[in-house]
Amino acid sequence: MMGGKCEGKCFCGIIIRVLVAALFIYAGYGKLTGIEGTAGYIASAGLPYPIFLAWAAGLLELIAGVLIFLGSWGKRCAAWALVLFTIVATYIFHFKGWLAGDAGQMVTTLKNLAIVGGLLMIAGCPRCDSSDCEKCGGEKCEMHK
């Protein structure tokens, strides 16, 4: 929240939300506009129904990214959905390559784990939901709404 008791102290939360959202909006749009390539990549991992999964992944990333970007009522659920999606996709498509010694897959795995960290900041901790943000003088800040 900008203004009010926070007086800009929550600006970092907005920046985190916008940057993480931009990544997923871009990735989702790319998947949807290149559905055959996305489906081929999914099929190369041995997953069933690659066209369906390509559409599902693209729509999830795009819609969840937009919800996070807008800071709407669904941003926390969207962030949790993307946490699960990113962990599963990282395991299926990158982690095994890292274990096989591929340095590029190691970097991608670690990058995705960092993205999960950003998503968890957006999603919020269920334990923290009942307490107010101390930095905002008792009013919940952008990260704790």
Side-chain angles (χ1 to χ4, degrees):
M1 166 188 333
M2 297 301 293
K5 292 182 183 178
C6 284
E7 298 179 51
K9 293 178 184 173
C10 299
F11 189 65
C12 287
I14 295 168
I15 291 173
I16 291 167
R17 198 182 76 227
V18 168
L19 292 176
V20 170
L23 172 75
F24 284 101
I25 292 168
Y26 180 78
Y29 178 79
K31 283 178 179 64
L32 294 173
T33 57
I35 205 74
E36 292 297 326
T38 303
Y41 187 64
I42 290 170
S44 74
L47 295 176
Y49 313 110
I51 294 286
F52 171 78
L53 290 176
W55 278 102
L59 288 171
L60 171 66
E61 286 183 317
L62 183 65
I63 292 168
V66 168
L67 289 173
I68 290 170
F69 180 82
L70 296 175
S72 66
W73 56 268
K75 77 178 179 201
R76 294 182 64 180
C77 290
W80 279 111
L82 288 173
V83 164
L84 180 61
F85 171 79
T86 303
I87 290 170
V88 170
T90 299
Y91 177 75
I92 291 170
F93 296 104
H94 306 293
F95 187 68
K96 294 173 187 174
W98 175 12
L99 293 179
D102 185 334
Q105 294 298 334
M106 177 190 72
V107 170
T108 301
T109 299
L110 294 173
K111 170 199 57 96
N112 285 359
L113 293 176
I115 292 167
V116 166
L119 287 166
L120 289 172
M121 290 179 75
I122 295 165
C125 172
R127 236 181 107 188
C128 300
D129 288 341
S130 62
S131 63
D132 291 336
C133 176
E134 293 174 13
K135 292 183 180 180
C136 298
E139 185 176 324
K140 289 190 178 189
C141 69
E142 180 66 26
M143 295 303 296
H144 293 106
K145 286 183 190 172

